[in-house]
């Protein structure tokens, strides 16, 4: 009997594990269920068998195995597809690298030949009786060879297509020699490493006329789509004000020649904007590649004369363009060359590095084009998903409108309706008004915000030179710590301007109304170089008369350039008030900050403070700083900060709004200068690290109290003091490897940090200036807050308590782990409670 049962059990196991062949109808039924639920429960599988008679002859266990196998096949298919995509990218990138290697070998051969020729000339000159002038001519000839001179041509008939085609073909040849040849001495930018997910290979020019940048990369879009995007320059080039195609001439080879006029914005208030008159040639090569090349039409190139330039300075575009090659398996390989001459001699000397930097050109134009194409490609493939129900194109339009509105405010073009107001005797802040806002806001906006009896927009703007402050660090600080510089009353006035009846003009008083901000992310670009977000400003009223103003307000904010490793990148924070509805066509009146780096100079004088540019605005003037203000360590990191704030006004309040705006911008300038001084790296001693040691008497006293209280409560020394002098104790506290920080202890108020050593500032990712904005309960997580509350009475009675390992959060919302913490009371000289001290041991970013 037992043997019979054993045989039956074995047969059942064989039946359940045997191969089942499914009919097409059964597979179709199972696939329908899989599409709805790839992992059905046991009850769902039994229900499936009951509902589908065609599956009645299949055991539930076999149904379960089918779904397991189906999920496995799906996973393998996705992985195989991903590997094929990576393989295609690597193959294309390998092809790019091989071509780049060939180009570099040609360049090396060319340089070796030039070096040998120069040696021969020098030996001949030194052996013979040649004069100094001949030696100078030899050197100059070598320099001229690097200047890529433009060949001289007689004027060509503007109405002769053959003449335009000749210019176009020359432009094509010169562009290709830069894109794939050795016409320009290219130097790869630091940090631009090639790879399947990298932006591509980016290089800048060295020793050529004007400034130039070159990039090549891989995108998953077809060449025709890439060409369409690149030709729409206004959609991705943030400095482009307008582009007009004045004439289109078809060519016999299937290409087109376009005569174009383009206006660009000036990056600051201190120099005129540039415009370009160019010929653009679009054609195909024999290998199927698409080429879009462009150059300026000048008296030396020939061709028709462009529109007159009045408020703009005519810049020259040297042969530039795009080479778009189809890639095997789909996608495109793109070569981009941008080569322009911005007429640097027409700008003040202090600003010339902005117009002489190939790195700035690469970031603003060349890399921007590649990033935009990659963004469109990933959006098209569905790789990027945004929350909030907004389409990527809508969010991208918001970013473009914020940038464009800020550029309009900074430039204040007359044809947009802007005019300057008189000053109050001081030239530091410029006030411009626009009584015809529809000219630059566009006719598609509702003008109901402007009263029928007259009104407009007023802009207060200023520019200044910042010394030794990284632009990315400054903008990141301004974004994270708005209360350091913003006035809640002015924000409330700007928000009220969106309503039918605005508030009375406030008196600018920073910190007049306590507020806090909450940043709600909307979108970011794939390289995380730009963030679009909504900022909710939460007001807190302390008196009945402030209740009207103390309400939540909303800003649409764009932050870019906060990556400190991006060389030559412009950092920018632009925002505009919005209402709760946040419609797609919401009116935006942007204000904000722009910080552009100047190339570091290791020679020449450098001021050790934040400077105003008013004294250095004469074109061609020398830098007239006192010799005593020389940089102590020979390094001078400079940048130009531009500030612009826009407000609406009614005609009868125009002067009051102007006075408020002028006062507010001066207040913001003062706040930014203090912040810049505080976050600037210390230049007095390289041993102190990036944050300088506080040396006030209060800091010396606090260090002594912290050390003494720790010894009293725990019976051990906080550190082994080499000297009992106050500065020695402060120095050891400042350089202690663990994060030590103090916070206030007040009834009916959240503890706020008042001091931290260098490790503490690093852990919180903040500065001594911004430390007082950080509350203890915002740093500790929920578990840490509960433990501290349970141990608080012990701390107050015993004097100290050990806290277990946990997680806290920096001011940049980054999680930080620590192995142990200790909290103790800090007593003053009268043994009264002064504050609470914490020491977080063995901390690290998660």
């Amino acid at each position: 009997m037992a043997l019979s049962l054993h045989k039956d059990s074995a047969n059942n196991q064989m039946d359940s594990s045997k191969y089942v062949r499914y009919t097409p109808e059964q597979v179709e039924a199972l696939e329908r269920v899989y599409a709805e639920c790839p992992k059905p429960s046991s009850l769902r599988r039994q229900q499936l068998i009951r509902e589908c008679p065609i599956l009645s002859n299949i055991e539930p266990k076999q149904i379960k195995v089918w779904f397991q196998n189906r999920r496995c096949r799906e996973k393998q298919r996705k992985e195989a597809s991903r590997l094929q995509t990576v393989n295609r990218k690597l193959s294309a990138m390998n092809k790019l690298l091989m071509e780049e290697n060939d180009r570099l070998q040609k360049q090396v051969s060319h340089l070796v030949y030039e070096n040998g020729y120069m040696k021969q000339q020098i030996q001949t000159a030194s052996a013979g009786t040649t004069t100094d002038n001949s030696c100078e001519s030899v050197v100059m000839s070598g320099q001229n060879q690097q200047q890529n001179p433009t060949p001289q041509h007689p004027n060509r008939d503007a109405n002769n297509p053959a003449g335009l085609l000749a210019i176009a073909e020359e432009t094509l040849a010169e562009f290709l020699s830069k894109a794939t040849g050795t016409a320009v001495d290219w130097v790869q930018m630091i940090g631009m490493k090639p790879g399947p997910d990298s932006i591509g290979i980016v290089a800048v020019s060295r020793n050529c006329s004007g400034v130039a940048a070159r990039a090549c990369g891989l995108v998953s879009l077809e060449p025709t789509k890439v060409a369409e995007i690149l030709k729409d320059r206004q959609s991705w080039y943030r400095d482009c004000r307008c582009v007009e195609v004045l004439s289109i001439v078809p060519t016999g080879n299937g290409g087109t020649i376009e005569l174009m006029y383009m206006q660009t914005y000036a990056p600051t208030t201190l120099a005129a904007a540039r415009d370009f008159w160019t010929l653009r040639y679009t054609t195909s090569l024999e290998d199927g590649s698409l080429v879009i090349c462009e150059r300026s039409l000048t008296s030396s190139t020939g061709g028709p004369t462009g529109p007159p330039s009045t408020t703009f300075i005519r810049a020259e575009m040297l042969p530039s363009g795009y080479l778009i090659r189809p890639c095997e398996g789909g996608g495109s390989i793109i070569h981009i060359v941008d080569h322009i001459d911005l007429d640097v001699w027409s700008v003040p000397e202090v600003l010339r590095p902005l117009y002489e930097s190939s790195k700035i050109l690469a970031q603003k134009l060349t890399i921007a084009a590649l990033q935009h194409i990659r963004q469109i490609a990933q959006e098209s493939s569905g790789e990027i998903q945004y929350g909030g129900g907004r389409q990527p194109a809508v969010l991208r339009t918001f970013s473009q409108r914020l940038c464009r509105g800020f550029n309009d405010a900074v430039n204040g073009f007359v044809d947009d309706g802007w005019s300057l107001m008189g000053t109050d005797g001081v030239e530091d802040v410029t006030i411009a008004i626009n009584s015809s806002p529809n000219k630059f806001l566009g006719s598609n906006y509702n003008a109901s915000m402007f009263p029928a009896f007259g009104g407009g927009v007023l802009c207060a703007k200023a520019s200044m030179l910042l010394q030794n402050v990284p632009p990315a660090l400054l903008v990141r600080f301004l974004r994270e710590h708005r209360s350091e510089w913003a006035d809640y009353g002015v924000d409330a006035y700007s928000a009220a301007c969106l309503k039918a009846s605005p508030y009375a003009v406030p008196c600018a008083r920073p910190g007049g109304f306590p507020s806090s901000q909450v940043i709600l992310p909307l979108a970011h670009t794939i390289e995380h170089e730009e963030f679009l977000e909504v900022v909710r400003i939460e007001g807190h009223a302390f008196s009945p008369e402030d209740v009207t103003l103390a309400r939540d307000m909303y800003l649409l904010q764009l932050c870019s350039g906060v990556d400190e490793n991006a060389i030559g990148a412009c950092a920018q924070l632009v925002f505009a008030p919005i209402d709760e509805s946040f419609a797609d066509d919401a009116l935006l009146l942007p204000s904000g900050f722009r910080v552009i780096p100047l190339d570091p100079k290791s020679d020449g004088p450098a001021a050790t403070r934040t400077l105003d540019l008013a004294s250095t605005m004469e074109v061609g003037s020398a830098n007239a700083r006192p010799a005593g203000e020389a940089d102590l360590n020979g390094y001078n990191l400079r940048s130009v900060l531009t500030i612009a704030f826009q407000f609406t006004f009614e005609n009868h309040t125009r002067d009051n709004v102007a006075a408020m705006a002028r006062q507010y911008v001066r207040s913001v300038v003062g706040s930014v200068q203090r912040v810049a001084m505080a976050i600037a790296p210390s230049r007095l001693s390289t041993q102190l690290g990036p944050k300088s040691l506080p040396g006030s008497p209060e800091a010396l006293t606090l260090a002594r109290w912290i050390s003494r209280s720790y010894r009293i409560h725990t019976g051990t020394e906080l550190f082994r003091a080499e000297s009992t002098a106050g500065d020695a104790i402060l120095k050891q506290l400042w350089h202690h490897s663990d994060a030590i920080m103090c916070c206030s202890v007040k009834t009916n108020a959240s503890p706020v940090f008042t001091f931290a050593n260098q490790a503490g500032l690093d852990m919180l990712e903040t500065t001594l200036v911004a430390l007082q904005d950080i509350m203890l309960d915002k740093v500790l997580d929920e578990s840490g807050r509960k433990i501290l509350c349970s141990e608080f009475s012990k701390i107050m009675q015993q004097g100290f308590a050990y806290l277990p390992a946990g997680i806290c959060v920096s001011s940049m919302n980054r999680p930080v782990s620590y192995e142990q913490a200790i909290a103790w009371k800090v007593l003053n000289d009268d043994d009264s409670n002064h504050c609470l001290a914490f020491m977080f041991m063995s901390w690290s970013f998660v």
Side-chain angles (χ1 to χ4, degrees):
M1 184 67 177
L3 181 62
S4 176
L5 289 173
H6 178 74
K7 287 182 178 180
D8 291 343
S9 175
N11 290 334
N12 288 337
Q13 290 182 6
M14 290 177 63
D15 290 342
S16 62
S17 60
K18 66 183 179 181
Y19 178 78
V20 178
R21 183 179 296 278
Y22 296 90
T23 65
E25 293 79 10
Q26 291 173 329
V27 172
E28 183 180 354
L30 291 171
E31 287 287 355
R32 282 199 303 270
V33 177
Y34 181 84
E36 298 174 0
C37 179
K39 195 174 182 180
S41 64
S42 175
L43 293 176
R44 180 71 181 92
R45 292 194 300 270
Q46 293 176 5
Q47 180 185 0
L48 174 64
I49 294 175
R50 290 195 300 268
E51 293 177 351
C52 298
I54 59 175
L55 299 176
S56 58
N57 63 330
I58 301 177
E59 297 180 6
K61 186 176 181 181
Q62 293 295 341
I63 297 288
K64 179 180 179 182
V65 171
W66 185 91
F67 277 97
Q68 289 175 343
N69 292 339
R70 182 65 177 81
R71 290 195 300 271
C72 184
R73 289 197 305 273
E74 180 72 15
K75 185 177 180 181
Q76 290 175 342
R77 185 189 64 79
K78 290 181 178 179
E79 182 64 14
S81 176
R82 188 188 68 82
L83 291 175
Q84 287 176 356
T85 302
V86 172
N87 185 57
R88 285 198 302 269
K89 288 183 178 180
L90 289 173
S91 299
M93 191 59 66
N94 182 59
K95 183 178 179 181
L96 269 180
L97 292 173
M98 292 175 63
E99 292 175 353
E100 182 70 4
N101 186 53
D102 291 341
R103 190 193 65 79
L104 291 173
Q105 287 180 348
K106 293 178 183 177
Q107 187 173 346
V108 168
S109 301
H110 181 68
L111 292 174
V112 169
Y113 171 78
E114 278 193 343
N115 187 45
Y117 176 78
M118 293 295 291
K119 282 184 177 180
Q120 181 182 0
Q121 292 295 321
I122 292 172
Q123 290 173 358
T124 303
S126 60
T129 58
T130 54
T131 63
D132 291 341
N133 291 336
S134 63
C135 292
E136 184 178 336
S137 66
V138 170
V139 176
M140 292 303 296
S141 66
Q143 292 176 348
N144 291 336
Q145 197 167 3
Q146 290 289 332
Q147 293 298 315
N148 303 322
T150 303
Q152 299 293 317
H153 298 285
N155 288 332
R156 283 147 172 160
D157 186 0
N159 299 316
N160 184 358
L164 293 177
L165 182 60
I167 300 176
E169 292 293 343
E170 289 170 2
T171 305
L172 173 63
E174 291 188 48
F175 159 68
L176 291 176
S177 69
K178 296 175 185 179
T180 59
T182 59
V184 173
D185 185 6
W186 298 113
V187 179
Q188 186 168 329
M189 285 185 68
I190 299 174
M192 296 295 176
K193 297 180 180 179
D197 296 318
S198 71
I199 188 173
I201 305 170
V202 183
V204 293
S205 61
R206 181 175 59 186
N207 300 330
C208 76
S209 60
V211 289
R214 170 183 173 270
C216 50
L218 174 69
V219 293
S220 56
L221 292 175
E222 296 304 313
T224 53
K225 180 63 176 177
V226 173
E228 177 187 340
I229 294 171
L230 289 173
K231 293 179 81 168
D232 184 15
R233 193 172 281 151
Q234 268 189 291
S235 68
W236 56 266
Y237 182 30
R238 294 290 170 79
D239 283 354
C240 179
R241 185 190 183 213
C242 66
V243 177
E244 294 182 70
V245 179
L246 301 182
S247 178
I248 300 177
V249 180
T251 61
N253 56 7
T256 57
I257 295 175
E258 299 165 289
L259 300 182
M260 304 176 58
Y261 177 64
M262 179 175 69
Q263 294 178 348
T264 61
Y265 292 106
T268 72
T269 62
L270 306 168
R274 266 53 180 168
D275 65 351
F276 296 84
W277 168 241
T278 61
L279 177 147
R280 185 167 71 184
Y281 181 36
T282 305
T283 187
S284 299
L285 301 183
E286 293 180 357
D287 62 357
S289 301
L290 276 176
V291 177
I292 306 167
C293 55
E294 190 172 358
R295 82 177 309 160
S296 288
L297 295 177
T298 63
S299 57
S300 60
T301 62
T305 304
S309 180
T310 53
T311 58
F312 292 82
I313 292 178
R314 183 63 49 87
E316 182 179 1
M317 181 184 295
L318 301 165
S320 307
Y322 316 103
L323 171 61
I324 310 165
R325 299 156 58 188
C327 188
E328 294 180 8
S332 306
I333 297 176
I334 311 170
H335 296 257
I336 301 176
V337 172
D338 292 303
H339 192 176
I340 58 178
D341 185 345
L342 293 169
D343 190 9
V344 67
W345 300 108
S346 63
V347 299
E349 184 177 1
V350 71
L351 289 181
R352 286 179 190 169
L354 297 183
Y355 296 80
E356 295 175 320
S357 172
S358 294
K359 296 171 185 175
I360 292 179
L361 174 73
Q363 291 287 353
K364 294 174 67 174
L365 196 58
T366 316
I367 296 176
L370 263 185
Q371 288 174 336
H372 182 74
I373 295 170
R374 294 187 70 220
Q375 184 80 20
I376 297 294
Q378 295 208 8
E379 289 174 1
S380 303
S381 63
E383 296 178 44
I384 300 178
Q385 299 292 333
Y386 295 130
R390 304 272 183 178
Q391 292 295 322
V394 174
L395 296 174
R396 199 163 50 247
T397 301
F398 277 128
S399 301
Q400 292 167 357
R401 287 173 55 197
L402 283 172
C403 279
R404 185 175 183 84
F406 185 69
N407 277 325
D408 282 329
V410 169
N411 285 261
F413 292 114
V414 175
D415 57 353
D416 278 339
W418 290 100
S419 60
L420 295 179
M421 281 188 69
T423 67
D424 60 353
V426 184
E427 301 289 342
D428 57 339
V429 178
T430 301
I431 301 290
I433 61 171
N434 195 322
S435 298
S436 305
N438 288 335
K439 284 188 177 180
F440 72 99
L441 293 178
S443 57
N444 57 323
Y445 295 117
N446 187 354
S448 60
M449 63 177 292
F450 303 107
F453 51 85
V457 175
L458 180 145
C459 178
K461 49 193 174 183
S463 291
M464 70 192 70
L465 183 68
L466 296 179
Q467 195 71 35
N468 207 30
V469 181
L473 182 61
L474 177 59
V475 166
R476 197 164 67 221
F477 185 95
L478 295 174
R479 171 179 176 261
E480 296 289 339
H481 305 283
R482 185 180 180 86
S483 61
E484 284 292 324
W485 56 268
D487 183 327
Y488 184 85
V490 174
D491 285 337
Y493 173 78
S494 298
C497 289
L498 298 174
K499 310 296 182 183
S501 42
Y503 296 118
V505 178
C507 175
R509 49 184 189 279
F513 298 95
S515 64
S516 58
Q517 68 170 2
V518 178
I519 296 177
L520 311 170
L522 276 180
H524 60 79
T525 51
I526 55 176
E527 303 291 337
H528 288 79
E529 75 280 354
E530 190 173 89
F531 302 86
L532 182 67
E533 53 205 11
V534 171
V535 180
R536 186 173 76 237
I537 303 175
E538 301 171 336
H540 309 285
F542 284 169
S543 61
E545 57 269 20
D546 292 341
V547 171
T548 305
L549 285 176
R551 60 175 187 170
D552 289 357
M553 296 175 293
Y554 297 89
L555 300 174
L556 182 64
Q557 181 167 278
L558 182 71
C559 182
S560 59
V562 292
D563 181 7
E564 295 183 49
N565 297 320
I567 300 174
C570 160
Q572 188 169 271
L573 183 69
V574 179
F575 44 86
I578 56 175
D579 59 19
E580 295 85 346
S581 63
F582 187 24
D584 290 350
D585 59 348
L587 175 69
L588 299 179
L589 205 60
S591 303
F593 306 86
R594 174 181 292 153
V595 192
I596 309 176
L598 299 169
D599 281 343
K601 302 294 183 184
S602 58
D603 52 351
T608 58
R609 55 186 172 82
T610 304
L611 299 175
D612 188 10
L613 284 184
S615 61
T616 57
M617 283 301 96
E618 292 79 10
V619 174
S621 64
N623 201 337
R625 299 191 192 101
E629 291 186 351
D631 195 335
L632 297 178
N633 59 7
Y635 181 72
N636 178 17
L637 177 64
R638 302 178 302 162
S639 53
V640 175
L641 168 66
T642 297
I643 302 174
F645 284 84
Q646 296 191 83
F647 306 95
T648 59
F649 67 88
E650 299 174 5
N651 281 344
H652 66 283
T653 64
R654 188 187 72 175
D655 293 340
N656 290 337
V657 174
M660 177 274 293
R662 185 178 282 112
Q663 180 185 352
Y664 182 53
V665 169
R666 285 173 180 160
S667 169
V668 171
V669 166
S671 299
V672 171
Q673 287 176 331
R674 287 192 298 273
V675 168
M677 294 286 283
I679 66 177
S682 172
R683 306 191 300 172
L684 299 177
S685 171
T686 56
Q687 283 77 30
L688 295 182
K691 299 178 180 68
S692 58
L693 176 68
S696 66
E698 292 82 1
L700 298 174
T701 301
L702 180 60
R704 181 169 55 81
W705 288 350
I706 293 172
S707 173
R708 172 176 166 272
S709 301
Y710 186 88
R711 183 177 66 253
I712 291 173
H713 297 314
T714 66
T716 59
E717 296 288 348
L718 182 59
F719 39 74
R720 187 176 299 172
E722 300 173 357
S723 170
T724 57
D727 57 346
I729 295 175
L730 176 59
K731 192 171 293 186
Q732 285 190 286
L733 177 67
W734 181 254
H735 294 294
H736 201 285
S737 59
D738 293 324
I740 301 173
M741 52 197 75
C742 299
C743 66
S744 61
V745 182
K746 299 179 181 178
T747 56
N748 300 326
S750 298
V752 176
F753 287 107
T754 56
F755 172 82
N757 67 348
Q758 183 168 345
L761 296 177
D762 291 340
M763 188 185 89
L764 295 178
E765 294 189 288
T766 187
T767 66
L768 284 172
V769 175
L771 184 67
Q772 298 178 13
D773 286 341
I774 302 176
M775 292 184 288
L776 178 63
D777 58 352
K778 296 292 186 182
V779 171
L780 298 176
D781 63 357
E782 184 177 357
S783 174
R785 289 193 294 269
K786 289 181 179 179
I787 293 173
L788 180 61
C789 288
S790 64
E791 297 288 336
F792 188 76
S793 59
K794 180 181 178 181
I795 296 171
M796 300 310 292
Q797 294 174 7
Q798 182 178 307
F800 78 101
Y802 287 99
L803 308 177
I807 299 289
C808 59
V809 181
S810 76
S811 65
M812 299 297 180
N813 293 321
R814 283 210 290 171
V816 183
S817 65
Y818 55 90
E819 293 183 2
Q820 191 182 39
I822 181 172
W824 71 97
K825 287 191 301 183
V826 176
L827 307 176
N828 59 18
D829 291 331
D830 298 329
D831 287 338
S832 300
N833 295 337
H834 176 72
C835 64
L836 202 62
F838 292 87
M839 180 165 64
F840 297 90
M841 291 170 268
S842 302
W843 65 271
S844 63
F845 290 106
V846 178

